[in-house]
Amino acid sequence: MSALASTALSVLDLAPIRQGGSAAETFQDSVSLAQRTEQLGYQRYWLAEHHNIDGIASAATAVLIGHIAGQTSRIRVGSGGIMLPNHPPLVVAEQFGTLETLYPGRIDLGLGRAPGSDGATMQAMRRHPHAGVDDFPAQLNELRGYLGDPAPHQRVKAVPGQGTHVPIWLLGSSGFSAQLAAKLGLPFAFAAQFAPGYLFEALRLYRENFQPSEHLDAPYATVGLPVIAAESDAMAEYLATTAQQKFLNLIRGKPTVSLPPVEQLDWSPMERAQVEQFLGAAIIGGPDTVKNQLADFQERTGANELMINSDLYDHQDRLRSYQIVAEAAQ
């Protein structure tokens, strides 16, 4: 068996809103994608917390996780991630304790430190400007206390939540979360779907500093990866312009709704370089190209799991991309 064939595949759904579409349509597409990837053998399906971004519909992340879990039967559903400094740890514990109680053994809690928003939105959320800088380990410890077995004389309990032991993952695009995950013996997920620059250093820090725990005997690393798979290399390159336009508009400060693919992009050399930096880990191509590049990426990273983000405009193209990836891994 090849290394790729023994590597778990999972889904990162950024709940994209199409130009002229609606959040309701996005949620329908997410259910459809979750059901199809469950059939294809994907291991988990994660949704991410973002706020005040007109192209992403997963702001109420825990609510959407429950919706997806309720319309699937096997695939694990979770957050990639919840931005812990945006919330009181008790509230996160209650939300995910509720989800774990409703869907036992199927819920993941991936945690990040970033705001998932801009400064004005942070203020609207009552998030302190320096939240997550120095206090993240303490917040994490408090949250773990609410999900673990109650301590003697513990006055505040998460109900539900206490004793559910929802699996916690640390997410990041730098060395901070990698080293904290290693110290605590937790699984680590690196966000190469938009920030691949620090990938190999973060994986090195995680593996070299890993301390076994009650959760893991050995390091377990997941890597988020953009993949645009289609019937041919040329078609995949064309479809990839949807993701490229999204990052281009992000750079320009324009709306980031999902746009139809185009034959040619109007961008400056600097803008192109910036977009290519965001998508530096992207795999774009037909079935053979995807199979070869996935195997190469897995070999170079040694990832235990690849979390695929296929950002395409048309839902059927998106479903097909995940099917091609699943077939390539077999």
Side-chain angles (χ1 to χ4, degrees):
M1 180 184 290
S2 69
L4 180 59
S6 61
T7 303
L9 289 180
S10 292
V11 179
L12 176 63
D13 177 12
L14 294 180
I17 301 175
R18 283 190 294 270
Q19 183 183 52
S22 67
E25 291 172 352
T26 295
F27 298 150
Q28 292 170 3
D29 288 348
S30 289
V31 169
S32 168
L33 180 61
Q35 291 173 339
R36 181 61 181 136
T37 51
E38 180 174 72
Q39 292 170 352
L40 291 168
Y42 283 78
Q43 182 157 314
R44 65 188 88 242
Y45 192 102
W46 279 7
L47 298 136
E49 177 186 351
H50 293 87
H51 301 281
N52 193 31
I53 298 178
D54 50 12
I56 298 178
S58 52
T61 319
V63 178
L64 192 52
I65 288 170
H67 182 61
I68 298 295
Q71 299 197 55
T72 50
S73 59
R74 176 200 58 80
I75 197 166
R76 297 189 66 91
V77 190
S79 59
I82 290 291
M83 301 299 111
L84 182 56
N86 290 349
H87 315 278
L90 175 62
V91 173
V92 176
E94 290 168 341
Q95 290 175 346
F96 279 78
T98 299
L99 288 167
E100 175 64 25
T101 302
L102 289 168
Y103 309 105
R106 294 184 55 210
I107 301 299
D108 295 325
L109 176 51
L111 298 168
R113 295 189 301 148
S117 59
D118 56 30
T121 310
M122 285 173 60
Q123 188 174 1
M125 295 174 65
R126 308 297 190 266
R127 173 173 165 144
H128 190 276
H130 300 298
V133 177
D134 298 318
D135 60 353
F136 185 80
Q139 286 185 309
L140 175 60
N141 187 57
E142 183 181 349
L143 173 60
R144 295 176 75 194
Y146 291 134
L147 292 172
D149 294 329
H153 312 298
Q154 181 176 334
R155 293 184 62 190
V156 179
K157 296 183 176 69
V159 183
Q162 209 73 53
T164 55
H165 301 281
V166 178
I168 289 177
W169 297 62
L170 294 192
L171 282 54
S173 57
S174 69
F176 179 92
S177 293
Q179 293 183 84
L180 184 57
K183 177 182 178 182
L184 299 175
L186 295 173
F188 173 61
F190 187 89
Q193 72 275 6
F194 71 88
Y198 204 74
L199 170 62
F200 292 97
E201 178 65 9
L203 292 178
R204 182 191 68 80
L205 287 169
Y206 174 59
R207 289 169 177 147
E208 288 185 0
N209 294 287
F210 184 84
Q211 299 178 25
S213 69
E214 60 183 303
H215 310 287
L216 286 176
D217 295 327
Y220 190 96
T222 295
V223 178
L225 181 65
V227 180
I228 306 297
E231 301 307 323
S232 67
D233 288 358
M235 178 56 71
E237 294 285 353
Y238 171 67
L239 296 179
T241 59
T242 290
Q244 291 166 344
Q245 289 178 88
K246 187 168 294 184
F247 282 111
L248 181 60
N249 283 331
L250 180 68
I251 292 165
R252 292 174 173 174
K254 293 184 176 181
T256 55
V257 292
S258 187
L259 298 172
V262 294
E263 294 292 344
Q264 189 171 334
L265 283 163
D266 180 20
W267 51 9
S268 70
M270 181 176 292
E271 288 174 331
R272 179 170 184 165
Q274 288 177 286
V275 171
E276 289 176 347
Q277 187 173 12
F278 278 119
L279 293 170
I283 293 175
I284 302 168
D288 289 342
T289 298
V290 167
K291 182 174 184 177
N292 292 334
Q293 291 191 13
L294 274 176
D296 177 67
F297 185 84
Q298 196 287 327
E299 183 177 348
R300 288 187 294 116
T301 61
N304 302 91
E305 188 170 332
L306 296 176
M307 182 156 281
I308 308 301
N309 174 234
S310 289
D311 186 9
L312 296 100
Y313 178 78
D314 183 82
H315 183 58
Q316 293 304 315
D317 290 335
R318 198 168 169 221
L319 293 174
R320 179 63 179 140
S321 182
Y322 281 100
Q323 180 180 346
I324 291 171
V325 170
E327 291 169 351
Q330 292 171 2

Short mmCIF file of all heavy atoms in Angstrom, two decimals, residues 126-149:
data_model
loop_
_atom_site.label_atom_id
_atom_site.label_comp_id
_atom_site.label_asym_id
_atom_site.label_seq_id
_atom_site.Cartn_x
_atom_site.Cartn_y
_atom_site.Cartn_z
N ARG A 126 -16.79 42.32 20.85
CA ARG A 126 -16.27 42.59 22.20
C ARG A 126 -14.98 41.81 22.48
O ARG A 126 -14.66 41.49 23.61
CB ARG A 126 -17.31 42.27 23.29
CG ARG A 126 -18.66 42.92 23.09
CD ARG A 126 -18.56 44.45 23.15
NE ARG A 126 -19.87 45.08 23.20
CZ ARG A 126 -20.52 45.53 22.10
NH1 ARG A 126 -19.99 45.37 20.89
NH2 ARG A 126 -21.70 46.11 22.23
N ARG A 127 -14.23 41.51 21.41
CA ARG A 127 -12.96 40.81 21.59
C ARG A 127 -11.86 41.83 21.91
O ARG A 127 -11.71 42.84 21.22
CB ARG A 127 -12.59 40.03 20.32
CG ARG A 127 -11.18 39.42 20.37
CD ARG A 127 -10.91 38.52 19.19
NE ARG A 127 -9.48 38.23 19.06
CZ ARG A 127 -8.97 37.08 18.67
NH1 ARG A 127 -9.77 36.08 18.36
NH2 ARG A 127 -7.67 36.90 18.56
N HIS A 128 -11.08 41.56 22.92
CA HIS A 128 -9.98 42.44 23.28
C HIS A 128 -8.92 42.39 22.18
O HIS A 128 -8.61 41.32 21.65
CB HIS A 128 -9.37 42.00 24.62
CG HIS A 128 -8.40 42.98 25.18
ND1 HIS A 128 -7.07 43.02 24.79
CD2 HIS A 128 -8.56 43.97 26.10
CE1 HIS A 128 -6.47 43.99 25.44
NE2 HIS A 128 -7.34 44.58 26.25
N PRO A 129 -8.33 43.55 21.82
CA PRO A 129 -7.36 43.58 20.73
C PRO A 129 -6.18 42.62 20.91
O PRO A 129 -5.60 42.15 19.93
CB PRO A 129 -6.89 45.04 20.71
CG PRO A 129 -7.99 45.81 21.35
CD PRO A 129 -8.60 44.89 22.36
N HIS A 130 -5.80 42.35 22.16
CA HIS A 130 -4.64 41.49 22.41
C HIS A 130 -5.05 40.06 22.82
O HIS A 130 -4.20 39.28 23.24
CB HIS A 130 -3.76 42.10 23.50
CG HIS A 130 -3.22 43.45 23.14
ND1 HIS A 130 -2.37 43.66 22.06
CD2 HIS A 130 -3.44 44.68 23.68
CE1 HIS A 130 -2.08 44.95 21.97
NE2 HIS A 130 -2.72 45.59 22.94
N ALA A 131 -6.33 39.75 22.66
CA ALA A 131 -6.79 38.40 23.02
C ALA A 131 -6.08 37.36 22.17
O ALA A 131 -5.91 37.53 20.96
CB ALA A 131 -8.31 38.30 22.83
N GLY A 132 -5.67 36.27 22.82
CA GLY A 132 -5.03 35.18 22.10
C GLY A 132 -3.53 35.33 21.98
O GLY A 132 -2.85 34.39 21.52
N VAL A 133 -2.99 36.48 22.36
CA VAL A 133 -1.54 36.68 22.24
C VAL A 133 -0.81 35.95 23.36
O VAL A 133 0.06 35.12 23.12
CB VAL A 133 -1.20 38.18 22.25
CG1 VAL A 133 0.32 38.39 22.18
CG2 VAL A 133 -1.88 38.89 21.07
N ASP A 134 -1.17 36.28 24.60
CA ASP A 134 -0.51 35.65 25.75
C ASP A 134 -1.43 34.72 26.55
O ASP A 134 -0.95 33.88 27.31
CB ASP A 134 0.04 36.72 26.70
CG ASP A 134 1.11 37.59 26.03
OD1 ASP A 134 1.95 37.02 25.31
OD2 ASP A 134 1.06 38.82 26.22
N ASP A 135 -2.74 34.90 26.38
CA ASP A 135 -3.67 34.18 27.25
C ASP A 135 -4.26 32.92 26.62
O ASP A 135 -5.07 32.24 27.24
CB ASP A 135 -4.81 35.12 27.68
CG ASP A 135 -5.60 35.68 26.49
OD1 ASP A 135 -5.18 35.45 25.34
OD2 ASP A 135 -6.63 36.34 26.73
N PHE A 136 -3.85 32.59 25.39
CA PHE A 136 -4.45 31.43 24.73
C PHE A 136 -4.22 30.13 25.52
O PHE A 136 -5.17 29.34 25.69
CB PHE A 136 -3.92 31.29 23.31
CG PHE A 136 -4.57 30.18 22.52
CD1 PHE A 136 -5.81 30.35 21.93
CD2 PHE A 136 -3.93 28.96 22.37
CE1 PHE A 136 -6.41 29.32 21.22
CE2 PHE A 136 -4.51 27.92 21.66
CZ PHE A 136 -5.76 28.11 21.07
N PRO A 137 -3.01 29.84 26.01
CA PRO A 137 -2.84 28.59 26.77
C PRO A 137 -3.76 28.51 27.99
O PRO A 137 -4.29 27.44 28.31
CB PRO A 137 -1.36 28.63 27.18
CG PRO A 137 -0.71 29.45 26.11
CD PRO A 137 -1.73 30.52 25.80
N ALA A 138 -3.97 29.65 28.67
CA ALA A 138 -4.86 29.64 29.83
C ALA A 138 -6.30 29.41 29.42
O ALA A 138 -7.04 28.67 30.09
CB ALA A 138 -4.73 30.96 30.60
N GLN A 139 -6.73 30.04 28.32
CA GLN A 139 -8.09 29.81 27.82
C GLN A 139 -8.28 28.35 27.44
O GLN A 139 -9.32 27.75 27.73
CB GLN A 139 -8.35 30.69 26.60
CG GLN A 139 -8.56 32.16 26.90
CD GLN A 139 -8.94 32.90 25.63
OE1 GLN A 139 -8.26 32.79 24.62
NE2 GLN A 139 -10.03 33.63 25.68
N LEU A 140 -7.27 27.79 26.78
CA LEU A 140 -7.35 26.39 26.36
C LEU A 140 -7.45 25.47 27.58
O LEU A 140 -8.25 24.52 27.58
CB LEU A 140 -6.11 26.05 25.53
CG LEU A 140 -5.96 24.59 25.10
CD1 LEU A 140 -7.14 24.13 24.25
CD2 LEU A 140 -4.64 24.40 24.34
N ASN A 141 -6.66 25.75 28.60
CA ASN A 141 -6.69 24.94 29.81
C ASN A 141 -8.06 25.00 30.49
O ASN A 141 -8.59 23.98 30.96
CB ASN A 141 -5.60 25.41 30.77
CG ASN A 141 -5.46 24.50 31.98
OD1 ASN A 141 -5.22 23.31 31.85
ND2 ASN A 141 -5.62 25.08 33.17
N GLU A 142 -8.65 26.21 30.50
CA GLU A 142 -9.99 26.35 31.07
C GLU A 142 -11.02 25.55 30.28
O GLU A 142 -11.86 24.83 30.85
CB GLU A 142 -10.38 27.83 31.09
CG GLU A 142 -11.75 28.09 31.75
CD GLU A 142 -12.13 29.56 31.73
OE1 GLU A 142 -11.27 30.41 31.40
OE2 GLU A 142 -13.30 29.86 32.04
N LEU A 143 -10.94 25.62 28.97
CA LEU A 143 -11.87 24.88 28.11
C LEU A 143 -11.73 23.38 28.32
O LEU A 143 -12.73 22.65 28.44
CB LEU A 143 -11.60 25.24 26.65
CG LEU A 143 -12.36 24.44 25.59
CD1 LEU A 143 -13.87 24.59 25.75
CD2 LEU A 143 -11.93 24.86 24.19
N ARG A 144 -10.51 22.90 28.38
CA ARG A 144 -10.28 21.47 28.58
C ARG A 144 -10.85 21.01 29.93
O ARG A 144 -11.34 19.89 30.06
CB ARG A 144 -8.78 21.16 28.49
CG ARG A 144 -8.19 21.40 27.11
CD ARG A 144 -6.68 21.19 27.10
NE ARG A 144 -6.35 19.77 27.13
CZ ARG A 144 -5.14 19.30 27.39
NH1 ARG A 144 -4.15 20.14 27.69
NH2 ARG A 144 -4.91 18.00 27.39
N GLY A 145 -10.78 21.91 30.92
CA GLY A 145 -11.36 21.58 32.21
C GLY A 145 -12.87 21.39 32.15
O GLY A 145 -13.43 20.53 32.84
N TYR A 146 -13.53 22.18 31.30
CA TYR A 146 -14.99 22.07 31.17
C TYR A 146 -15.42 20.83 30.38
O TYR A 146 -16.55 20.37 30.52
CB TYR A 146 -15.55 23.31 30.48
CG TYR A 146 -15.47 24.58 31.30
CD1 TYR A 146 -15.02 25.76 30.73
CD2 TYR A 146 -15.84 24.60 32.65
CE1 TYR A 146 -14.94 26.93 31.46
CE2 TYR A 146 -15.76 25.76 33.39
CZ TYR A 146 -15.32 26.93 32.79
OH TYR A 146 -15.23 28.09 33.53
N LEU A 147 -14.53 20.30 29.54
CA LEU A 147 -14.87 19.12 28.73
C LEU A 147 -14.40 17.82 29.38
O LEU A 147 -14.86 16.75 29.01
CB LEU A 147 -14.26 19.25 27.32
CG LEU A 147 -14.85 20.35 26.44
CD1 LEU A 147 -14.04 20.51 25.17
CD2 LEU A 147 -16.32 20.07 26.11
N GLY A 148 -13.49 17.93 30.34
CA GLY A 148 -12.99 16.75 31.01
C GLY A 148 -13.86 16.35 32.20
O GLY A 148 -14.94 16.90 32.43
N ASP A 149 -13.37 15.37 32.94
CA ASP A 149 -14.08 14.96 34.14
C ASP A 149 -14.04 16.09 35.17
O ASP A 149 -13.02 16.79 35.29
CB ASP A 149 -13.45 13.70 34.73
CG ASP A 149 -13.61 12.50 33.81
OD1 ASP A 149 -14.62 12.44 33.09
OD2 ASP A 149 -12.69 11.65 33.79
#
